[in-house]
Amino acid sequence: MRTPSPASPLLSVTSLKKSVPGGRVLFDGLDMAVAPGEFVAIMGESGAGKSTLLNLIAGLDTADSGSIAIRGTVLDGLDDDARTKLRLAAIGFVFQAFHILPHLTLAQNVALPLVLQHMKAREAEERAHAMLASAGLSGRGNDFPRALSGGELQRVAIARALVHKPALILADEPTGNLDPETAARILELFATAVRESGAGVLLVTHSHVAAAVADRTLLLARSGLREHDGR
Amino acid sequence: MAADMCGLSGVATRWMIAGEWRAHPARVILAALAIAVGVALGFAVHLINASALNEFSRAVRTVNGDADFQVHARTPLGFEEALYPKLARTPGIAAASPVVELPASIDGKVPLTLLGIDPFRAGLVTPNLMGRPVAAETTQTAAPPSATDNALGETSIFLSQAALLALNKKPGDEIQVSAAGQTLAFTIAGTLPGVAEGQRLAVVDIATAQWRLNRLGRLQRVDLKFVEGADEPRVRNALAALLPRDAEIVNETTQERRTDALSRAYRVNLDMVALMALLTGGFLAFSAQALSVARRRSQFALLRVLGVQRRALLFQVLVEGAVVGGIGAALGLGAGLFLAQGALSFLGGDLGGGYFSGTRPQLIFAPGAALSFFGLGLLAALIGSVLPARQAAQAQPAIALKDAGDAADPRRAPGWRIALALLLAGAVCAFLPAIGGLPLFGYISVAFLLAGGVGAMPLLARVLLTPLQHVTFGVSGHLASKHLWGAPSQAAIALCGIVASTSLMIAMAVMVWSFRNSVDSWLVQILPADIYLRVEGDDYNAFAPDVQQRMATVPGLQSIHFRKVTPLRLSPDQPPITLLAEDIDPANPSALLPLIGSSRPIPDGAIPVWLSEPATWLYPYRAGDYMDLPLSGASGSTRVFVAGIWRDYGRQQGTVAMASPDYVRLTGDRLRSDAAISLKPGADSASLPDAMRAVMPPSLAGRVSFVPSRDLRKLSLQIFDRSFAVTYLLEAIAILVGLAGVAATFSAQTLARTKEFGMLRHIGVLKRQIVGMLAAEGALLGSVGVVAGIGLGIAISQVLIHVINPQSFHWTMETRLPFVLFATVAVALVAASAGTALIAGRRALSGDAIRAVREDW
Amino acid sequence: MRALKWALALILLATIGHAADTPVLPNYAEVRPGVTLSFPRDHGAHPEFRTEWWYITGWLDTEDGRSVGFQVTFFRTRTSTDQRNDSAFAPKQILFAHAALSDPQTGHLLHDQRIAREGFGLAQASMADMDVTLNDWTLKRDANGRMTTHAGGKDFALDLGFTPTQPVMLEGEEGYSRKGPLPAQASHYYSLPHLLVSGTVTRNGRKAAVKGTAWLDREWSSAYLAPGAVGWDWAGFNFDDGGALMAFRIRDAQGQALWAGGSYRDAKGALTHLAPGDVAFAPVRRWHSPRTGTDYPVEQNLSVRLGPATKEWRIAPLFDDQELDSRAGGGPVYWEGAARVHGGRGYLELTGYFKPLKM
């Protein structure tokens, strides 16, 4: 893994334009930069394109125009395989719907990114167990997700997002499916974990509570992103 | 599993596959079983074919000994024995062994081939035909006089071990040998140790055969051995120059070709039917895989998001398919062996086709074939996985992750171009000719039509369901049609299975039904007399003229017409054509022969013959042509005029029908074995057999059967049904497989729709309305499938009837549609579909559904 | 060949057989005294009799000075097959033949055989003169009296010509040679000793020119052996001075002579017919066959009473192992070997030592 020079941003988005099938333009001329280790929240109305923006950054979708660079690597010129490789190496995900695979144990779920990078199963699972422990699920690595509550599932997801020490975490409404108490606890865990890991975070959310954890908040509108001063 | 270029992680793949199987073992087992059934059927049929053919070859080789090659007579009447010393003296021939060959029946119950050989000659050319006497040798040259020692004598016979077993006799016993119109006593002098196990053969001295069985002056064959290092082609040419028209050179290759040709079409057809079973199994595997992938769309999307490359995902699904296919194929091989063993024991080597009589062949395991069928099973599973795999890999992860409904956009009309292209290709192939006597393009056409029909299902379903969108018949119906409309790819998968299996089944059913009807009406035409009489066994020469005379004078008889049925070799590569000599009236041949078209006017002085339909496929003769028959004329052959063509389902290798008087004039052969009897009105048919038997030689009387034509028709149809028993079985399996596919589809979907049902219950839909919805979905799907299946099936049946059957067996038939069957199948399938949908959806109505809404998974 | 074993066993078995309904058996002609042999007709076959042979034995000298022995014999046998059998294949007459080469360097006999039923020109024996064909083997006499033979197979081949140098020697009483106490137990018998041989012997593809002396025996009979007889010893010698001796004894199961006889023709041509009491064979040395376990008296003292005197010859074989095992072709096992006596060369034949011989 290349160690980025402190001067270069972790994520750099320039003049991004995206429209949906049907013609409606989501955003045009969008610029953004995330520094390494920076925690950025993005808020906006439903349908503003927050999730689409995340997909674009993750390389899962292509913009109409503009450019995205992660750790200096420009995504536009890369083909799907290269983007996938980059995604595996550099990004971690936390979703609103958890997306924990029901047929794997918790440890196997967490170990997935490592295993996909061709780490040996035993070693990967050991690290997964350790991650689970630090997510407050120690000793439960061999359980199946079936019996877990929503909050526990999201802990597993957070562990999975961080286990491979990615440079960037993308979180899409991570507390959206949780009740307020659980949401608060999860948020706390998430914030602690990512700051410990030193990864940059892009968090998309409705919730002001969630956004409050971030270093800065951006508001997504048609014209682009602008600073949001909270509340 | 090491890392490789596409980024496939072995550990991840292992986890994903194992996890999936642990969670849903039933589905995996089902898919494996489907492949297993297909492979088992295909492999079993192939093994049976191979074993039977092997058996048949052995039988032929046994009778022919191990000669380098032979000079064979073209008819059972043989050729002049003066040819033998000429052959023996040809330079390059080390030894020549003259042979008399006759079909015979021992003790009235065991039919076999009787050979008359000269042991001194045979010992040099075909030593495996030599008999071993059982007399002990106490002195150097002679033993005490007893009947068993007279081995060259006129009453000694040697029997193979299998013949002894069948007769339950041992050396020293006396037996009755019936051949060439007479029955004689022989004493068993010993055994034939050189004859292969299971083969029945009897050997006597050649002088005995000629003298006692009235074959003086003629031989059926001469077995030949080359001098070591001889120039074989030159010797062969020298021999060919010596041969009269009624003899031909035959060697092991031509023998094999003949054996092969005899039943090749039948066996290939059977192989094809078995492959269809494999295909249906493949479809089921495809359904299972497709559903499994569809269900796991979001999981696959997650993997893509986490960073799994497209190719890696593709490979994972393919690996799953391969493992399922491998397990299924391995199971199938084992089951196939078991099936084949059972079938050989119970049905015989021809599976009821009537080609190979008597012995139950031994099963020969064919490692090469086993490997091929294993490969085919694997291939079927892989092909069934490819499409879903590609789908999984190509899917947009973002959309899939949200699990927002069906993968396909319901608003887009499904593609129709590929399906149309396939259908057109199928139509074109149907018009192409046979290759090597096999309807290969016919099979390809069927495959294309099937693929095209199945591929057109999404479009067809849409077309058929669209009108229903505007008709509401109750909540259930409404919900059902909306769901089918809104999830076209899932519907299409379920339909694939039904349509594929239904259409194949319908196609076979239509063909068999048409065939049966054609055979039935043909039987009526070809059996105009009241009672038919024939002699058991392969004996063409049972009744001598004086016996025939006596038979004609039995009271109660309106008329009796004797027929001669004898094989004739027109070509070294083909099995013999049958010569039928009957009391045909040249002015009115259609009284006895079901003519196709009319009979040509016969030129003066020409001898008319009528060729059967299969003969016109195999040989280049048509009505109005002249042809040469190897009947003894001055040069051993006679020129005859082909006056017409007639339909014959009885003999696939062709028949030449000739008027009896012409036949007698040409060959002088007055021995007969078949007769057609018409009774006087009011005559007592029950007493006729005894009256007839009274005027026959006693040994014959026991072997003669009298069959009223009505019974003969019934018997023929029974044989027909028995021949197609296997086809019927395969049809049933096809249907079951299709239904299993439907059940799998519905059960898979229901699990995924648990939330949906829960939601419906929440908003106030009654339980029974959901039940109704499921039943309606099933019924609708079943109806669409049945309609499409029957339509496609009829189309495919036309290829079977007008292309595959004529090219394989050289006969035509008229299409008859079994409407009753259609109705039954339709009702049954619709009901079964509705039923399986219901059963699969039972879970949905439990408490789980309501709870599921709250949860995510 | 192994297959022929059974075949030949069978024909010889078949000499006594019947068909299911009473077959018509052949009437075998009887050998009677007082029948004058006339030539060339009697060089040919006599098919009414049961058994007949053309038996040539002799010594060949090769170009490199070595001597080998040879035997070529053509047999004819009339089987007891049903005489009503009209088939051209009816095995009414069977021809079979042996050929053997005795080379001391080889140490055992090289031999080959043929057998066929007479017919179709492929195997036949002329009745007019000596002209026997058996597939590819032949024995033929031309108008000048010279005989030629071709016999042999894979291991060796003999192409020899025989020129008679002495007149026919009638055995017994003018060719009526008794073999037992009953008058019918006899054969018609003549010999041609001192035949001059020239020709080639082919071995391993190489032809070698040979010259030598041979002895032809011709016999035909329907009842050769008396009951109780198991075999015979026979000796035929060409003396260097031009004389010729033939002596035989028929043995019983105890090894005693049941009958004996022979002929001696001196150098000037005076023929002495030997009565049973005039001939005695006394075994001196036996050879044990490792293959069949048979003991053959290969060295014998032959004493012959000629008039008042008794002459004795010690018969010594060229080498011991000259056993001919023709069981592969269904024939007997016997010893037929080139042998020497003082002043002459010839052949010694010992039959019936392995198992009793039946004819």
Side-chain angles (χ1 to χ4, degrees), chain C residues 10-33:
Chain C
L10 306 179
I11 36 139
L12 299 167
L13 299 184
T15 51
I16 322 166
H18 354 275
D21 53 338
T22 19
V24 173
L25 295 176
N27 249 333
Y28 294 101
E30 254 185 37
V31 173
R32 287 205 184 80

PDB file of all heavy atoms in Angstrom, chain C residues 10-33:
ATOM      1  N   LEU C  10     -11.147 -88.790 -34.655  1.00  0.00           N
ATOM      2  CA  LEU C  10     -12.520 -89.112 -34.973  1.00  0.00           C
ATOM      3  C   LEU C  10     -12.660 -89.987 -36.199  1.00  0.00           C
ATOM      4  O   LEU C  10     -13.461 -90.893 -36.199  1.00  0.00           O
ATOM      5  CB  LEU C  10     -13.317 -87.830 -35.191  1.00  0.00           C
ATOM      6  CG  LEU C  10     -13.200 -86.885 -33.997  1.00  0.00           C
ATOM      7  CD1 LEU C  10     -13.990 -85.650 -34.289  1.00  0.00           C
ATOM      8  CD2 LEU C  10     -13.723 -87.563 -32.764  1.00  0.00           C
ATOM      9  N   ILE C  11     -11.904 -89.672 -37.249  1.00  0.00           N
ATOM     10  CA  ILE C  11     -12.155 -90.509 -38.419  1.00  0.00           C
ATOM     11  C   ILE C  11     -11.762 -91.918 -38.109  1.00  0.00           C
ATOM     12  O   ILE C  11     -12.441 -92.852 -38.511  1.00  0.00           O
ATOM     13  CB  ILE C  11     -11.378 -90.142 -39.707  1.00  0.00           C
ATOM     14  CG1 ILE C  11      -9.985 -89.664 -39.412  1.00  0.00           C
ATOM     15  CG2 ILE C  11     -12.121 -89.273 -40.596  1.00  0.00           C
ATOM     16  CD1 ILE C  11      -9.071 -90.268 -40.427  1.00  0.00           C
ATOM     17  N   LEU C  12     -10.670 -92.054 -37.396  1.00  0.00           N
ATOM     18  CA  LEU C  12     -10.277 -93.406 -37.101  1.00  0.00           C
ATOM     19  C   LEU C  12     -11.287 -94.048 -36.142  1.00  0.00           C
ATOM     20  O   LEU C  12     -11.555 -95.239 -36.219  1.00  0.00           O
ATOM     21  CB  LEU C  12      -8.851 -93.410 -36.570  1.00  0.00           C
ATOM     22  CG  LEU C  12      -7.921 -92.847 -37.657  1.00  0.00           C
ATOM     23  CD1 LEU C  12      -6.544 -92.526 -37.120  1.00  0.00           C
ATOM     24  CD2 LEU C  12      -7.790 -93.845 -38.795  1.00  0.00           C
ATOM     25  N   LEU C  13     -11.891 -93.233 -35.312  1.00  0.00           N
ATOM     26  CA  LEU C  13     -12.988 -93.761 -34.506  1.00  0.00           C
ATOM     27  C   LEU C  13     -14.139 -94.157 -35.394  1.00  0.00           C
ATOM     28  O   LEU C  13     -14.866 -95.097 -35.099  1.00  0.00           O
ATOM     29  CB  LEU C  13     -13.518 -92.697 -33.532  1.00  0.00           C
ATOM     30  CG  LEU C  13     -12.568 -92.112 -32.489  1.00  0.00           C
ATOM     31  CD1 LEU C  13     -13.354 -91.186 -31.606  1.00  0.00           C
ATOM     32  CD2 LEU C  13     -11.942 -93.202 -31.673  1.00  0.00           C
ATOM     33  N   ALA C  14     -14.279 -93.401 -36.461  1.00  0.00           N
ATOM     34  CA  ALA C  14     -15.485 -93.580 -37.267  1.00  0.00           C
ATOM     35  C   ALA C  14     -15.483 -94.868 -38.053  1.00  0.00           C
ATOM     36  O   ALA C  14     -16.464 -95.191 -38.681  1.00  0.00           O
ATOM     37  CB  ALA C  14     -15.639 -92.416 -38.234  1.00  0.00           C
ATOM     38  N   THR C  15     -14.359 -95.547 -38.040  1.00  0.00           N
ATOM     39  CA  THR C  15     -14.334 -96.759 -38.850  1.00  0.00           C
ATOM     40  C   THR C  15     -15.358 -97.768 -38.370  1.00  0.00           C
ATOM     41  O   THR C  15     -15.747 -98.663 -39.093  1.00  0.00           O
ATOM     42  CB  THR C  15     -12.951 -97.439 -38.814  1.00  0.00           C
ATOM     43  OG1 THR C  15     -12.563 -97.591 -37.453  1.00  0.00           O
ATOM     44  CG2 THR C  15     -11.929 -96.582 -39.530  1.00  0.00           C
ATOM     45  N   ILE C  16     -15.761 -97.604 -37.119  1.00  0.00           N
ATOM     46  CA  ILE C  16     -16.819 -98.501 -36.679  1.00  0.00           C
ATOM     47  C   ILE C  16     -17.976 -97.660 -36.169  1.00  0.00           C
ATOM     48  O   ILE C  16     -18.028 -97.307 -35.009  1.00  0.00           O
ATOM     49  CB  ILE C  16     -16.354 -99.401 -35.513  1.00  0.00           C
ATOM     50  CG1 ILE C  16     -14.901 -99.816 -35.738  1.00  0.00           C
ATOM     51  CG2 ILE C  16     -17.258-100.586 -35.378  1.00  0.00           C
ATOM     52  CD1 ILE C  16     -14.264-100.413 -34.527  1.00  0.00           C
ATOM     53  N   GLY C  17     -18.867 -97.277 -37.030  1.00  0.00           N
ATOM     54  CA  GLY C  17     -19.984 -96.463 -36.541  1.00  0.00           C
ATOM     55  C   GLY C  17     -21.229 -96.800 -37.306  1.00  0.00           C
ATOM     56  O   GLY C  17     -21.167 -97.489 -38.321  1.00  0.00           O
ATOM     57  N   HIS C  18     -22.361 -96.359 -36.823  1.00  0.00           N
ATOM     58  CA  HIS C  18     -23.567 -96.591 -37.615  1.00  0.00           C
ATOM     59  C   HIS C  18     -24.399 -95.339 -37.694  1.00  0.00           C
ATOM     60  O   HIS C  18     -24.326 -94.466 -36.869  1.00  0.00           O
ATOM     61  CB  HIS C  18     -24.454 -97.708 -37.049  1.00  0.00           C
ATOM     62  CG  HIS C  18     -23.865 -98.413 -35.903  1.00  0.00           C
ATOM     63  ND1 HIS C  18     -22.983 -99.464 -36.068  1.00  0.00           N
ATOM     64  CD2 HIS C  18     -23.999 -98.254 -34.560  1.00  0.00           C
ATOM     65  CE1 HIS C  18     -22.633 -99.921 -34.884  1.00  0.00           C
ATOM     66  NE2 HIS C  18     -23.231 -99.208 -33.949  1.00  0.00           N
ATOM     67  N   ALA C  19     -25.237 -95.232 -38.680  1.00  0.00           N
ATOM     68  CA  ALA C  19     -26.246 -94.177 -38.789  1.00  0.00           C
ATOM     69  C   ALA C  19     -27.483 -94.612 -38.043  1.00  0.00           C
ATOM     70  O   ALA C  19     -27.578 -95.733 -37.581  1.00  0.00           O
ATOM     71  CB  ALA C  19     -26.558 -93.894 -40.252  1.00  0.00           C
ATOM     72  N   ALA C  20     -28.423 -93.661 -37.887  1.00  0.00           N
ATOM     73  CA  ALA C  20     -29.578 -93.933 -37.023  1.00  0.00           C
ATOM     74  C   ALA C  20     -30.414 -95.075 -37.571  1.00  0.00           C
ATOM     75  O   ALA C  20     -30.740 -96.016 -36.865  1.00  0.00           O
ATOM     76  CB  ALA C  20     -30.426 -92.691 -36.886  1.00  0.00           C
ATOM     77  N   ASP C  21     -30.790 -94.947 -38.804  1.00  0.00           N
ATOM     78  CA  ASP C  21     -31.432 -96.112 -39.404  1.00  0.00           C
ATOM     79  C   ASP C  21     -30.318 -96.902 -40.068  1.00  0.00           C
ATOM     80  O   ASP C  21     -29.355 -96.332 -40.528  1.00  0.00           O
ATOM     81  CB  ASP C  21     -32.494 -95.666 -40.414  1.00  0.00           C
ATOM     82  CG  ASP C  21     -31.915 -94.700 -41.439  1.00  0.00           C
ATOM     83  OD1 ASP C  21     -30.873 -94.067 -41.148  1.00  0.00           O
ATOM     84  OD2 ASP C  21     -32.487 -94.585 -42.522  1.00  0.00           O
ATOM     85  N   THR C  22     -30.478 -98.172 -40.115  1.00  0.00           N
ATOM     86  CA  THR C  22     -29.309 -98.996 -40.485  1.00  0.00           C
ATOM     87  C   THR C  22     -28.567 -98.429 -41.684  1.00  0.00           C
ATOM     88  O   THR C  22     -29.098 -98.371 -42.782  1.00  0.00           O
ATOM     89  CB  THR C  22     -29.737-100.446 -40.830  1.00  0.00           C
ATOM     90  OG1 THR C  22     -31.126-100.413 -41.105  1.00  0.00           O
ATOM     91  CG2 THR C  22     -29.410-101.388 -39.721  1.00  0.00           C
ATOM     92  N   PRO C  23     -27.355 -98.032 -41.472  1.00  0.00           N
ATOM     93  CA  PRO C  23     -26.572 -97.476 -42.571  1.00  0.00           C
ATOM     94  C   PRO C  23     -26.070 -98.600 -43.461  1.00  0.00           C
ATOM     95  O   PRO C  23     -25.995 -99.748 -43.043  1.00  0.00           O
ATOM     96  CB  PRO C  23     -25.404 -96.796 -41.859  1.00  0.00           C
ATOM     97  CG  PRO C  23     -25.231 -97.578 -40.605  1.00  0.00           C
ATOM     98  CD  PRO C  23     -26.560 -98.119 -40.225  1.00  0.00           C
ATOM     99  N   VAL C  24     -25.717 -98.189 -44.655  1.00  0.00           N
ATOM    100  CA  VAL C  24     -25.120 -99.159 -45.570  1.00  0.00           C
ATOM    101  C   VAL C  24     -23.614 -99.064 -45.415  1.00  0.00           C
ATOM    102  O   VAL C  24     -22.994 -98.086 -45.806  1.00  0.00           O
ATOM    103  CB  VAL C  24     -25.528 -98.842 -47.023  1.00  0.00           C
ATOM    104  CG1 VAL C  24     -24.768 -99.729 -47.986  1.00  0.00           C
ATOM    105  CG2 VAL C  24     -27.033 -99.002 -47.177  1.00  0.00           C
ATOM    106  N   LEU C  25     -23.017-100.067 -44.812  1.00  0.00           N
ATOM    107  CA  LEU C  25     -21.584-100.045 -44.559  1.00  0.00           C
ATOM    108  C   LEU C  25     -20.823-100.547 -45.778  1.00  0.00           C
ATOM    109  O   LEU C  25     -21.371-101.293 -46.598  1.00  0.00           O
ATOM    110  CB  LEU C  25     -21.252-100.925 -43.354  1.00  0.00           C
ATOM    111  CG  LEU C  25     -21.822-100.437 -42.023  1.00  0.00           C
ATOM    112  CD1 LEU C  25     -21.515-101.408 -40.930  1.00  0.00           C
ATOM    113  CD2 LEU C  25     -21.264 -99.059 -41.698  1.00  0.00           C
ATOM    114  N   PRO C  26     -19.587-100.126 -45.883  1.00  0.00           N
ATOM    115  CA  PRO C  26     -18.833-100.559 -47.062  1.00  0.00           C
ATOM    116  C   PRO C  26     -18.411-102.026 -46.937  1.00  0.00           C
ATOM    117  O   PRO C  26     -18.254-102.561 -45.849  1.00  0.00           O
ATOM    118  CB  PRO C  26     -17.603 -99.646 -47.040  1.00  0.00           C
ATOM    119  CG  PRO C  26     -17.455 -99.229 -45.608  1.00  0.00           C
ATOM    120  CD  PRO C  26     -18.825 -99.215 -45.023  1.00  0.00           C
ATOM    121  N   ASN C  27     -18.283-102.621 -48.083  1.00  0.00           N
ATOM    122  CA  ASN C  27     -17.745-103.977 -48.169  1.00  0.00           C
ATOM    123  C   ASN C  27     -16.260-103.892 -48.415  1.00  0.00           C
ATOM    124  O   ASN C  27     -15.841-103.496 -49.493  1.00  0.00           O
ATOM    125  CB  ASN C  27     -18.381-104.695 -49.364  1.00  0.00           C
ATOM    126  CG  ASN C  27     -19.306-105.784 -48.905  1.00  0.00           C
ATOM    127  OD1 ASN C  27     -19.145-106.340 -47.823  1.00  0.00           O
ATOM    128  ND2 ASN C  27     -20.263-106.101 -49.743  1.00  0.00           N
ATOM    129  N   TYR C  28     -15.457-104.210 -47.433  1.00  0.00           N
ATOM    130  CA  TYR C  28     -14.010-104.099 -47.643  1.00  0.00           C
ATOM    131  C   TYR C  28     -13.501-105.323 -48.387  1.00  0.00           C
ATOM    132  O   TYR C  28     -13.821-106.448 -48.039  1.00  0.00           O
ATOM    133  CB  TYR C  28     -13.273-103.974 -46.310  1.00  0.00           C
ATOM    134  CG  TYR C  28     -13.583-102.688 -45.594  1.00  0.00           C
ATOM    135  CD1 TYR C  28     -14.485-102.656 -44.539  1.00  0.00           C
ATOM    136  CD2 TYR C  28     -12.989-101.495 -46.006  1.00  0.00           C
ATOM    137  CE1 TYR C  28     -14.779-101.472 -43.892  1.00  0.00           C
ATOM    138  CE2 TYR C  28     -13.277-100.305 -45.356  1.00  0.00           C
ATOM    139  CZ  TYR C  28     -14.174-100.302 -44.297  1.00  0.00           C
ATOM    140  OH  TYR C  28     -14.460 -99.135 -43.670  1.00  0.00           O
ATOM    141  N   ALA C  29     -12.714-105.040 -49.388  1.00  0.00           N
ATOM    142  CA  ALA C  29     -12.190-106.171 -50.162  1.00  0.00           C
ATOM    143  C   ALA C  29     -11.221-106.981 -49.316  1.00  0.00           C
ATOM    144  O   ALA C  29     -10.513-106.436 -48.471  1.00  0.00           O
ATOM    145  CB  ALA C  29     -11.464-105.626 -51.402  1.00  0.00           C
ATOM    146  N   GLU C  30     -11.205-108.267 -49.540  1.00  0.00           N
ATOM    147  CA  GLU C  30     -10.319-109.146 -48.774  1.00  0.00           C
ATOM    148  C   GLU C  30      -9.027-109.373 -49.537  1.00  0.00           C
ATOM    149  O   GLU C  30      -9.035-109.465 -50.777  1.00  0.00           O
ATOM    150  CB  GLU C  30     -10.996-110.513 -48.585  1.00  0.00           C
ATOM    151  CG  GLU C  30     -11.497-110.741 -47.178  1.00  0.00           C
ATOM    152  CD  GLU C  30     -12.040-112.144 -47.040  1.00  0.00           C
ATOM    153  OE1 GLU C  30     -11.453-113.072 -47.647  1.00  0.00           O
ATOM    154  OE2 GLU C  30     -13.057-112.290 -46.350  1.00  0.00           O
ATOM    155  N   VAL C  31      -7.944-109.483 -48.792  1.00  0.00           N
ATOM    156  CA  VAL C  31      -6.669-109.836 -49.431  1.00  0.00           C
ATOM    157  C   VAL C  31      -6.609-111.354 -49.601  1.00  0.00           C
ATOM    158  O   VAL C  31      -6.805-112.096 -48.652  1.00  0.00           O
ATOM    159  CB  VAL C  31      -5.497-109.351 -48.549  1.00  0.00           C
ATOM    160  CG1 VAL C  31      -4.178-109.863 -49.101  1.00  0.00           C
ATOM    161  CG2 VAL C  31      -5.483-107.828 -48.465  1.00  0.00           C
ATOM    162  N   ARG C  32      -6.416-111.772 -50.827  1.00  0.00           N
ATOM    163  CA  ARG C  32      -6.390-113.220 -51.098  1.00  0.00           C
ATOM    164  C   ARG C  32      -5.083-113.600 -51.769  1.00  0.00           C
ATOM    165  O   ARG C  32      -4.489-112.790 -52.480  1.00  0.00           O
ATOM    166  CB  ARG C  32      -7.525-113.578 -52.067  1.00  0.00           C
ATOM    167  CG  ARG C  32      -8.885-113.537 -51.434  1.00  0.00           C
ATOM    168  CD  ARG C  32      -9.836-114.458 -52.212  1.00  0.00           C
ATOM    169  NE  ARG C  32     -11.169-114.329 -51.648  1.00  0.00           N
ATOM    170  CZ  ARG C  32     -12.001-113.331 -51.931  1.00  0.00           C
ATOM    171  NH1 ARG C  32     -11.650-112.423 -52.804  1.00  0.00           N
ATOM    172  NH2 ARG C  32     -13.170-113.252 -51.343  1.00  0.00           N
ATOM    173  N   PRO C  33      -4.701-114.813 -51.527  1.00  0.00           N
ATOM    174  CA  PRO C  33      -3.510-115.264 -52.263  1.00  0.00           C
ATOM    175  C   PRO C  33      -3.869-115.509 -53.719  1.00  0.00           C
ATOM    176  O   PRO C  33      -5.046-115.585 -54.070  1.00  0.00           O
ATOM    177  CB  PRO C  33      -3.135-116.583 -51.560  1.00  0.00           C
ATOM    178  CG  PRO C  33      -4.409-117.054 -50.932  1.00  0.00           C
ATOM    179  CD  PRO C  33      -5.224-115.834 -50.622  1.00  0.00           C
TER     180      PRO C  33
END
